[in-house]
Each structure stands twice: as structure tokens, then as C-alpha cells.
Amino acid sequence: MTITKKLAACFSLFFLMNASLCSVQADEGDRLFTLRVLPLLKEKCFGCHASTPDDLKGDYAVDSREALLEGGESGDPSIVPGKPEDSVLYQAVMWEGYEMPPKENDRLTKRQTEYVRRWIELGAPWPEEAKQQEIREAEWAVRENEDGLIVDTSGGTADEWTYRRYQPADTWAFQPVKSKSDFDPSPGEADHPVDFFIGRQLASAKLQPAERADASTLIRRATYDLTGLPPTPEEVEQFQASSKKDATKAYENLIDRLLASPHYGERQAQHWLDVVRYADTGGFSNDYERSNAWRYRDYVIRSFNDDKPFNQFVMEQIAGDEIADATSESRKKDAAVASNIGFSLSQAEGAVATGFLRLGPWGTAMIPQEEARQIYLDDLVHTTGQAFLSMPLRCCRCHDHKFDPIPTRDYYRIYAAFATTQPAEVEAEFLQEENLSGFDEKRKLVEELLAFAKADLKTVNDKMEAAAKAWYAEHDLPYKNENARQKDPEDKKPPRHVGLTPEEKGIKKVREQDVWIWERRLERYQPMAQSVYNGPDKWSNARKLRPAPKVDKSWRPPTFILTGGALEAKGDPVGPGVLSATGLPVKGSAGQQPVEDDPWRISDDLSGRRLQLARWIASDKNPLTARSFVNRIWQSHFGTGIVKTANNFGAKGSKPTHPELLDWLTADFIENGWKVKRLHRLIMTSDAWQRSGSHNNLKHLETVDPNNNLLARFPARRLTAEEFRDTALLLSGELNREMGGVPIMPEMNMEVALQPRMIQFSIAPAHQPSRTPAERNRRTIYTYRVRGQADPLLEILNLPNPNESCELRDAAAVTPQAFTLMNSDVVTDRSIAFASRVQSDQPNAPATQIHQAMRLAFGRTPSPHEQSSLLEYYKKMLAYHEDHTPEEVAYPTQVTRSLVEEFTGEPFEFIELLNVYNDYVPDKKPWTVSAQTRAMADVCLLLLNSNELLYVY
């Protein structure tokens, strides 16, 4: 070959390689722009620098290559293709000169700025839309790459969302729960599964676990965890003796005894009521009483005591009424549906169970009906997601979820599943197991208040109607009563409130409200339930909700995606459905059939939507439900869950500290019939739960594991508000262990009890405690919970606000707690009763009384130093009390209220009766006991304030 031919061949090869290189670079540039740079520009820049005049700032647009080459007000081009360092755009995102985006929180990461630099270096290509789409579709065909994985869903409102990628760690909760046989390694027959998984992480961190706690610590810890009460001294001593003989058998017997206690259900129900936001009133401006809510509270207690499978518990709360319809022998229409449910439910039980759907704060006053309806349905969707799935759904009400694979379409599908659900107080016969004691006496007190209000109202109305009759006679018109003339023209009826003074006008409004309030409270004693029914939308007043007398069964609610959550911005229509990211289609959950070949859709029927949703949520194959509840049970024993954000398993929630342990426990929970008591027993028989709270190398442990995530030692916790009050009542001998029934009214700070609490047009009734100690000194779970008036003692000890789901109680120690526990009348009363109890056992023997008080409070005897110190303190306080006589405080039987009349602006006063104090039976008070009792009460008050009592170790 000649030199010329060789050179020609070399030049040809060079040009081919160069052309190939350019082609590769062009492809790289197009892909980089389409997949990296353009999404960044849309997210970070288009809001202020798109070409539309309303959005354009600084006369600078970045939404086309031409605009970038043209630049902004300065006239300099934003990009110099091939030269990123000379490009203003690159300098701006690097915060060199210009700072774009201008907020620190929006600033591009190092990786993102490199995308911009490389794109400009490659010539800043901006391919046509068709080419961009081709690139995107090729990328979407790859399910998982270095950027993450694509999660299959029902689809977002834009392709960019539908095909976006997630880090696997952020979607862990949507992955199927592994079978126990799939774990490698897995616990052997001799291994306790909890200790197997926790032990592996401790070994990896080279940490030694703490020793086993002593017997007295274990029985106190277990008794509080399972019943919310302390063990008695006799129970402590018996357990200590049994443990010396056979520690394992003694401990197992203890757990079995506590799980069989009726107080177990009260303690476990409190956890659940925190999550579902239980209260006896509706909140908002009127805070209307939900007179029969107590039946749902008792249903929850019974469910835990009966060890009802949790999946059944879930279904009953979401669709108890529909289950009752499907399984009732008298109304059964579809035997196949009934058999698939697997259990039956009476109409009354179903109505009470679905009280869950009535627990959120809700009102209709001064809110358009359509908006009030939206608020109710939004609340159901969000709460269902939090409570049962640990997936807050409010974040995708306005748009596709920003962090989790939940499209707004799925939000409105669940919204549609509830769209036929109407809140109402429905008839529901009392159950044999419900506590109806004291109904007659309590009803009598309410009837007295109702009669007083009616009499006062009649006096005012009679005067007004006499003046109205005179007006009609004067104008030669036939008389019409107040209701009949309401819509008449102004010149055909007397002036509003004719003949009344400004004060009487105000009293009329107040008494009208009072009549309604007391008539509503009488419903506590009627066989009714706060529940729901399926039917068309209708005008509603939260003050009184009743089922429609006749239901149009052909009615179907139109449901749309509401853009931005706005009723006025209806988007695509949607039907009822479920969360698609779980990978569990409707057909896969208990044999249900999908609708319209859509695996995530459920029936459009008027009734049955909630039942299909409930069965999907409670399915063995649902990856969220069982995990969520297992984590809550773990949290109840260790203070925090394996996932610390118990209401949020999404990307912005915490990641599980022991993911394999959570999955193993979940798989075991499902395989064993969703039985809750078995899960408690499994966790509490582990070494991890029985460990001491102290550690022989605490300094090293806190360095390696400062948050105790690895559980080398047991975490101490403070008593909850309910546990403290119940403990104080138990120690004082005042606790009435009666279960269930209408709410009790404990004594509270008198100033708070009588403070005026505004509601629409009036003042809410004052808090009147239950008449006798036996009635009011019951467990705290039975107290009346008013959204607009928290009990000061319980609130200061972090009782959660019932307006939001509480995933974990706040246990912060703050100064007002110490002031309250040392100085409040309520705690003082408990200390007096406590002192009286120990004095009755050993009169005239203060040293022995102190010994017994310590034994009752701590389950142990005092040390010689403790005994002598407390005895010395008793003597000092006795000297003080012998020189000081407490002043008696009288209970008021009425209070004068002041308001301003709405239309005249004139102030007026009225009387509120406090009739419970007419024959009130008070607790022991300082002025009713001797100086010796008051001095011993001061000793008991110290014990009630001690860390040894206030904390569980």
C-alpha cells in the first residue's frame, strides 16, 4: 500500500472515530439534559424564570435554549456552549456572583451543579420534545438502576411523577413482609427471636447487654406495661419468693396473670385511643357533646380483653355496620360475602365499632355544607392512613406525594371509598356486657338542669309572645307563633324578640342553647351510638345528626381529583380504590374482585365500599397494616418503636432500627392469627425486655449507642398522666375498679372547672364533678374528655391533644409539673387519703405508718436513713399544722355568668346552676382531718412526687 493510500485510510479512520465520539457526546448531552438538567430547571427555576410574563423576573427566562443564549436584563448570555466556567447560569448555581436559587434550602447539591456543568460542556443541547420523550421512555423501561427504583402505582398526574425513582430504603414499608422461612440466618429452635436479632446487632457493635433486672423491678415494669397500675406489696413479695424457686416459671405465670386481668384491656385501649383521637365532644366553635362516644371506648377495652384478632378489630371499626348487614341472619343476602368475612357481628356491635369514623374534630357551624363534608372525608382518609397503615395521607390531598409513591389519585380513591358514609347518631340496643349502672341518678341531675333552662326560657318566651299578640292585634293581623312567622315579610310580623329587654334577649339565646345541651346529654342514657350509615349527601348540622328516613339506593357520589385540594378545581373523575404502591390488588385481598380491569379499584355500590377497603387493609398480604400494629406494640413496651415514627412509615419517617426483627415479628403475628396477647407474651419473655436499666459500662455504651437504639439496657420511662392519677388513687385506697359506662367527671382545679368557655351564642356548661367519690375516683380512661377544656393535672403530664393522632406520648419534664404535683388540690387530696389509709392500719404509730406508706408506694421497705429522715420531716410538719388551721372552702351551687347580647351590644347576666353540689359528697379535705393526718399527708405527698414512683425502670 502506498503512503498516500495509508494516509487516506488513517484520515478516514480518524473522521469516523471523531464522528462516533461526537455522536456519543450528543447522546450523552441529550440524556443529561432530559433526565437531569430539565427536571432541575423545572423544579428550581421555572417558578420565577419561565417565559410567561406573570412568572418572569429580571426579564430572564430559562425555559428554552434560545432564552438562555439571549440572557436577561444585562444582555449577557446565560450559557456559553462548551464553556461552563464562562456561563452565568453555572456561576449562579455555584453561588459565584449570582446566587440561584436564592434560598439556602433550595441550593443545588454538588452532584446537581456537576450535571449543569457537564451539560454546558457538552454544548448545552436542548433536544426536541419527541427526542426527550424517546429518552424518557427508554429510561422508564429500566425498573432499577443506580438512581433508585420505579414503584408501580395507579399513576400520578404527570409522567415525571409516575416514573420517578425512589431509594429502596425509602420504600421499605411497601415491600412484602418476608415469611419466617425466608430469613437467613434465622432464629433456631433454642433462640428467642427477639434476642436473636437484637443480639446480632449488639455483637456487631461489640456491646455487652445488661444483666437481667431484679424481681421487684420486673414485676413493677410488667404490671404497668400490661395494666397501667402498680403491683401491690403482696404481689411483689409473692413474685420475689416464686422467682427464688423458679425464675422462669414465676415470670411466665406473672405475664399470663396480667394478660388475663380485665385491667389489661383498659391499658391497651389507652394506647389505641391516643392514635384514633378519642374524645367525648366534637371540637370546633361549639364543641358539641358526642353523648354515646363512651360505647366506642368500652368496645375497644372489650376487644383487647377478649384478645380479638387485630385484623377483625380493623374491619369492625371501618365497616362494622356493613359487616353486620352482611352477616346478620335476618338480613343476610349473599352467603358468599358473609362466609368470606369469617366472623359475624350484631347490628348494635357494628354501629358501636364504627364509632371510629366519628372520632375526629368536626363541626358545621359557619362552614358551607360542601366544605364541611370535604373536611369530614379528608379527616377519614388521613386518619385511616395513620392509624392502620402508618402512612399519613394528608400530604397527597393537593398533589401527588412529594416523597412517597402515593399518587393523589389513590388519595381520592380512598376518599371515594368513604364518599357514601354519613355520620349519624343511630339506634343501637345496649349490649349485655355494657355497664348501665347509675343511669337513673345521673339522668336525674341532667333533667334538673333541663327543667331549669326550660322554665327560664318559658318565662322569656311567654313575655315575648304576649307582646307579639298585642302587635298582631294592633295591626289587625291574625296571630302567628314564633316559628310560624319566621319567614314572613318584615311588615307582616312583629320585630324580632318583641317586648324583651336586652338582658332578656340574651337570656333567651342562652336558654335555647342550654335546652339543646341538656337534651343532648340525656342521649347518653339512650340506646344510641355515634356511628355512620350509607346514603346520599344531605344538609347536616353537627348538633344533631340522624339517619335519613329514606335512602335513595341508586345515588352514587361523583368523586374527582381536587387540584390543590380545592372543591372548585375538579380534575379527573375517580372511583373507590386502595393504595396501589403496596402491590396488593383488590383481588389479592380475601378473594375480592377488581372493578373495570383496574386491580386497585373497588365497588361503586352505595354500600360495601368500606367493607372492601377494610378487607384490603386487614389482608394478610398487606405490607403495612400488621407491620404498623406490631411496631405500636413494641413501642408500648420499649418506649419507642422499632420505627420511631409510629404514624409514618414513609420516606420522611424514621427507618427501622431492626428491620429484620420487625418483619419476623410481623410474619409471626400474621401466621398466628393476628393475636395481640401472644405478641405481648413473645416480646416480654425476651431477654431484651427483662434487662436492667443500668449497665456496668454505661459510659462506653452511651458513646457507642447514645440513643439506646441497640437496646443493650432497658429504657426507663415516666408514668403517663393516666398512670399517675390511677396510681395515686390506688395507693390512697380510693380507686374504684368498676369498668365501663358513661364518662365520669373527676374533681379538677375549681378555677378551671368554672372558667367561662365560649361556644356559639353562649357559654358551655361548667365542669361539675361526679357526685360521690365512688363515681369520680375510677380509672382515668373513663373520664370525660372535652376537646375545649383539658383537665389541668392530666394536661401538665402530657395528656395528648385529641385533635391530632398521637403516635407517641411526650414525656418531657418541665417545671410546671413539679409545681402541680406539689401544690394542686387534686394531688393534695390524694395525699390526705393516702395518709388516712396508713393511719387506719396503724393509728398513733407514725413510724409504722411511714414504713407502710413506703411499702405501698414502692413495693419495698424504707432504709434506716429514709425512715429516720421521713419521721423527722413528719414531726416538723406536725408542729406546723398544729399551729395552722386550714380554711374551709365551700362548694358553689350556682355561678353568675356575664355575656354581651349579639345584636344590641348590651351586657347581661344569667345564672348557671351547679346542682351536683346540692348533695355533693367530697373527698377528704385539709379542714376535715386532724393535724396528724395533714402532717402524714405531707410525707405521702413526697412519696407521690418521688422519681421512684413517677418512673418505671
Side-chain angles (χ1 to χ4, degrees):
M1 183 181 293
T2 65
I3 294 176
T4 302
K5 289 182 178 180
K6 288 181 179 180
L7 287 172
C10 289
F11 278 120
S12 297
L13 181 61
F14 171 77
F15 284 121
L16 284 172
M17 292 176 64
N18 189 53
S20 176
L21 178 61
C22 290
S23 175
V24 169
Q25 288 183 334
D27 287 345
E28 181 190 352
D30 288 349
R31 282 178 53 81
L32 184 61
F33 172 78
T34 302
L35 301 178
R36 305 295 190 193
V37 176
L38 182 58
L40 274 178
L41 293 175
K42 287 181 177 180
E43 178 187 356
K44 304 286 188 179
C45 307
F46 279 16
C48 298
H49 300 289
S51 294
T52 53
D54 292 342
D55 295 334
L56 197 60
K57 294 184 179 180
D59 198 25
Y60 175 48
V62 299
D63 57 353
S64 70
R65 191 173 191 270
E66 291 73 19
L68 286 169
L69 290 171
E70 182 179 340
E73 292 173 335
S74 67
D76 295 329
S78 298
I79 56 172
V80 180
K83 298 181 178 180
E85 282 74 14
D86 296 336
S87 299
V88 174
L89 176 66
Y90 179 65
Q91 295 168 3
V93 299
M94 294 297 293
W95 280 33
E96 296 173 357
Y98 294 105
E99 296 181 353
M100 291 293 170
K103 295 181 180 179
E104 181 72 35
N105 288 344
D106 290 332
R107 189 174 177 180
L108 269 59
T109 65
K110 183 177 180 180
R111 187 178 184 185
Q112 290 170 332
T113 59
E114 176 58 24
Y115 293 151
V116 175
R117 190 200 68 78
R118 178 61 177 160
W119 171 64
I120 297 174
E121 186 178 58
L122 293 170
W126 194 303
E128 296 294 326
E129 178 58 34
K131 179 64 174 178
Q132 292 181 32
Q133 188 64 18
E134 179 185 331
I135 292 170
R136 282 191 287 262
E137 289 178 359
E139 181 73 6
W140 296 340
V142 180
R143 180 172 179 80
E144 186 171 1
N145 60 25
E146 67 277 6
D147 294 322
L149 57 89
I150 295 172
V151 177
D152 293 329
T153 69
S154 61
T157 54
D159 285 344
E160 287 83 353
W161 188 94
T162 301
Y163 295 104
R164 74 177 180 182
R165 296 184 181 275
Y166 302 86
Q167 292 304 307
D170 289 338
T171 61
W172 68 270
F174 294 97
Q175 305 308 310
V177 176
K178 290 197 299 185
S179 170
K180 290 195 294 184
S181 61
D182 293 336
F183 285 90
D184 184 24
S186 60
E189 290 186 8
D191 296 317
H192 192 291
V194 171
D195 297 320
F196 174 80
F197 291 107
I198 288 180
R200 287 174 61 192
Q201 290 203 20
L202 286 173
S204 178
K206 298 180 180 180
L207 290 175
Q208 289 296 319
E211 299 294 325
R212 187 175 190 262
D214 59 56
S216 61
T217 299
L218 282 178
I219 187 173
R220 190 171 189 269
R221 185 189 297 173
T223 308
Y224 267 119
D225 265 21
L226 291 180
T227 71
L229 294 168
T232 65
E234 293 76 19
E235 289 169 341
V236 173
E237 291 161 4
Q238 183 179 358
F239 179 67
Q240 288 173 327
S242 300
S243 296
K244 290 178 180 178
K245 298 177 182 178
D246 188 333
T248 301
K249 183 178 180 180
Y251 182 70
E252 290 175 350
N253 288 342
L254 169 67
I255 301 303
D256 289 341
R257 175 175 66 80
L258 295 173
L259 289 172
S261 167
H263 299 305
Y264 160 81
E266 293 171 326
R267 173 61 176 158
Q268 303 314 309
Q270 192 64 72
H271 294 304
W272 187 249
L273 296 181
D274 279 359
V275 174
V276 299
R277 309 161 303 161
Y278 176 84
D280 294 291
T281 63
F284 283 76
S285 59
N286 284 305
D287 209 14
Y288 291 135
E289 175 169 295
R290 292 175 178 166
S291 302
N292 318 98
W294 63 270
R295 299 186 68 185
Y296 172 81
R297 173 248 290 154
D298 289 356
Y299 154 81
V300 174
I301 293 171
R302 290 195 305 274
S303 295
F304 281 108
N305 273 335
D306 294 343
D307 202 17
K308 181 177 293 180
F310 184 72
N311 53 352
Q312 178 180 336
F313 184 57
V314 170
M315 291 178 64
E316 290 177 357
Q317 292 176 86
I318 297 173
D321 57 326
E322 294 183 349
I323 294 169
D325 284 344
T327 60
S328 172
E329 290 298 329
S330 61
R331 303 178 65 184
K332 191 181 298 181
K333 297 177 183 178
D334 189 336
V337 170
S339 63
N340 279 336
I341 292 172
F343 59 93
S344 63
L345 202 64
S346 72
Q347 295 292 328
E349 287 174 311
V352 171
T354 46
F356 163 77
L357 303 174
R358 295 293 310 282
L359 292 178
W362 186 65
T364 56
M366 298 180 289
I367 302 174
Q369 284 286 303
E370 192 177 8
E371 184 179 339
R373 178 70 177 155
Q374 180 191 25
I375 291 171
Y376 175 69
L377 294 176
D378 282 334
D379 183 77
L380 291 187
V381 175
H382 181 64
T383 302
T384 298
Q386 280 190 311
F388 299 115
L389 304 172
S390 289
M391 196 59 59
L393 298 178
R394 190 176 290 155
C395 297
C396 44
R397 170 176 172 260
C398 301
H399 47 70
D400 297 319
H401 205 293
K402 289 188 175 182
F403 307 106
D404 295 322
I406 306 175
T408 192
R409 182 182 315 279
D410 285 2
Y411 177 91
Y412 284 101
R413 284 184 165 186
I414 297 179
Y415 186 102
F418 288 114
T420 61
T421 301
Q422 307 295 341
E425 294 88 41
V426 306
E427 294 182 1
E429 63 184 12
F430 287 122
L431 305 173
Q432 185 176 358
E433 54 267 41
E434 288 182 311
N435 182 359
L436 311 183
S437 65
F439 269 28
D440 291 341
E441 183 179 352
K442 294 168 184 174
R443 186 189 293 113
K444 181 181 176 183
L445 286 170
V446 180
E447 288 171 342
E448 288 176 2
L449 295 168
L450 176 60
F452 175 77
K454 283 184 172 181
D456 213 8
L457 179 60
K458 184 177 184 302
T459 300
V460 174
N461 280 342
D462 286 350
K463 181 179 179 182
M464 182 181 71
E465 290 310 293
K469 288 177 182 178
W471 186 94
Y472 278 112
E474 181 182 341
H475 290 77
D476 198 23
L477 292 171
Y479 166 74
K480 292 183 179 180
N481 65 32
E482 184 178 13
N483 289 332
R485 66 180 181 256
Q486 193 171 24
K487 295 183 180 181
D488 285 355
E490 294 299 321
D491 61 343
K492 299 294 184 182
K493 64 181 180 181
R496 181 186 175 113
H497 298 160
V498 61
L500 299 184
T501 66
E503 181 174 0
E504 290 168 333
K505 292 176 184 179
I507 289 175
K508 176 176 169 61
K509 288 185 180 179
V510 167
R511 296 311 181 204
E512 285 173 342
Q513 280 283 73
D514 286 350
V515 167
W516 182 86
I517 288 169
W518 301 125
E519 286 180 340
R520 175 73 174 222
R521 183 160 295 187
L522 285 175
E523 291 179 6
R524 285 185 182 180
Y525 314 106
Q526 297 175 18
M528 303 175 68
Q530 300 290 314
S531 191
V532 297
Y533 72 98
N534 294 316
D537 291 343
K538 63 184 181 69
W539 189 89
S540 297
N541 185 340
R543 186 168 76 174
K544 184 176 183 179
L545 299 165
R546 295 291 190 267
K550 188 176 181 180
V551 172
D552 178 4
K553 295 187 178 180
S554 66
W555 178 81
R556 299 292 183 272
T559 311
F560 303 88
I561 293 175
L562 301 179
T563 306
L567 286 167
E568 301 79 12
K570 292 181 172 64
D572 294 341
V574 294
V578 298
L579 293 185
S580 51
T582 60
L584 175 64
V586 171
K587 184 179 180 180
S589 54
Q592 302 184 84
Q593 296 300 315
V595 177
E596 301 171 357
D597 297 323
D598 185 333
W600 320 114
R601 282 273 275 110
I602 58 181
S603 168
D604 283 315
D605 294 342
L606 181 69
S607 296
R609 299 180 182 208
R610 282 182 285 112
L611 178 53
Q612 291 184 62
L613 174 64
R615 291 169 67 181
W616 177 85
I617 290 174
S619 169
D620 288 358
K621 299 177 183 178
N622 192 307
L624 296 170
T625 312
R627 271 192 183 119
S628 169
F629 188 68
V630 167
N631 187 65
R632 293 190 194 279
I633 293 296
W634 183 273
Q635 176 179 282
S636 74
H637 289 300
F638 287 95
T640 56
I642 295 174
V643 182
K644 292 185 178 180
T645 51
N647 274 359
N648 187 357
F649 282 7
K652 290 301 177 181
S654 298
K655 302 299 184 285
T657 56
H658 298 78
E660 288 189 316
L661 172 59
L662 178 58
D663 265 21
W664 196 97
L665 290 174
T666 302
D668 183 76
F669 181 59
I670 294 170
E671 288 178 19
N672 288 280
W674 299 65
K675 288 289 192 175
V676 182
K677 289 187 178 182
R678 184 184 181 280
L679 178 59
H680 282 295
R681 187 181 292 106
L682 180 63
I683 292 172
M684 296 179 72
T685 53
S686 68
D687 290 344
W689 192 85
Q690 297 176 62
R691 283 187 188 124
S692 170
S694 58
H695 194 275
N696 57 14
N697 196 352
L698 187 59
K699 186 175 181 179
H700 175 66
L701 178 62
E702 290 179 339
T703 301
V704 177
D705 184 23
N707 296 320
N708 196 34
N709 290 331
L710 302 181
L711 296 174
R713 62 189 179 100
F714 189 83
R717 69 171 179 88
R718 198 194 67 203
L719 297 182
T720 64
E722 295 91 342
E723 287 175 315
F724 173 76
R725 179 179 175 274
D726 294 349
T727 295
L729 288 170
L730 181 67
L731 296 181
S732 67
E734 299 171 287
L735 182 65
N736 176 1
R737 294 177 183 251
E738 181 183 357
M739 297 180 64
V742 297
I744 59 110
M745 311 281 277
E747 282 196 354
M748 67 164 63
N749 179 285
M750 187 65 78
E751 290 183 8
V752 175
L754 299 183
Q755 69 182 5
R757 184 166 59 91
M758 295 300 300
I759 57 175
Q760 198 173 17
F761 307 128
S762 187
I763 290 177
H767 175 93
Q768 297 191 53
S770 300
R771 193 180 69 83
T772 66
E775 292 175 80
R776 61 181 175 268
N777 291 335
R778 293 176 58 202
R779 293 202 68 176
T780 311
I781 193 171
Y782 300 115
T783 59
Y784 187 53
R785 290 212 66 186
V786 181
R787 281 192 158 93
Q789 184 183 48
D791 184 309
L793 174 65
L794 303 181
E795 184 179 37
I796 204 69
L797 292 173
N798 308 119
L799 184 75
N801 184 324
N803 290 331
E804 293 290 339
S805 174
C806 176
E807 62 180 2
L808 178 65
R809 291 281 183 103
D810 184 5
V814 294
T815 304
Q817 292 168 349
F819 291 147
T820 300
L821 294 182
M822 285 297 292
N823 300 303
S824 78
D825 292 340
V826 173
V827 182
T828 297
D829 289 352
R830 300 292 77 75
S831 67
I832 291 172
F834 191 1
S836 299
R837 177 186 180 183
V838 296
Q839 284 180 325
S840 66
D841 294 337
Q842 297 289 336
N844 303 318
T848 306
Q849 293 165 11
I850 290 171
H851 185 279
Q852 176 64 357
M854 284 279 286
R855 182 170 172 268
L856 289 169
F858 303 150
R860 64 174 180 84
T861 58
S863 68
H865 175 70
E866 290 170 332
Q867 178 75 23
S868 62
S869 296
L870 289 175
L871 185 58
E872 182 64 27
Y873 178 69
Y874 167 79
K875 292 175 181 177
K876 288 181 180 179
M877 296 314 300
L878 178 60
Y880 171 84
H881 287 296
E882 286 177 338
D883 289 339
H884 296 81
T885 302
E887 183 178 346
E888 181 176 353
V889 177
Y891 291 102
T893 56
Q894 65 180 43
V895 61
T896 300
R897 301 294 193 189
S898 298
L899 279 176
V900 174
E901 207 284 318
E902 180 183 10
F903 292 105
T904 67
E906 295 284 340
F908 68 95
E909 294 184 342
F910 64 95
I911 298 297
E912 180 182 356
L913 289 187
L914 306 175
N915 62 332
V916 73
Y917 292 122
N918 289 333
D919 57 352
Y920 187 68
V921 182
D923 297 320
K924 290 182 177 180
K925 302 293 180 181
W927 57 88
T928 66
V929 297
S930 66
Q932 288 81 3
T933 301
R934 295 198 299 276
M936 186 56 63
D938 287 331
V939 173
C940 292
L941 186 63
L942 289 181
L943 302 183
L944 292 175
N945 276 268
S946 65
N947 281 351
E948 190 170 349
L949 184 137
L950 289 170
Y951 284 82
V952 178
Y953 295 98

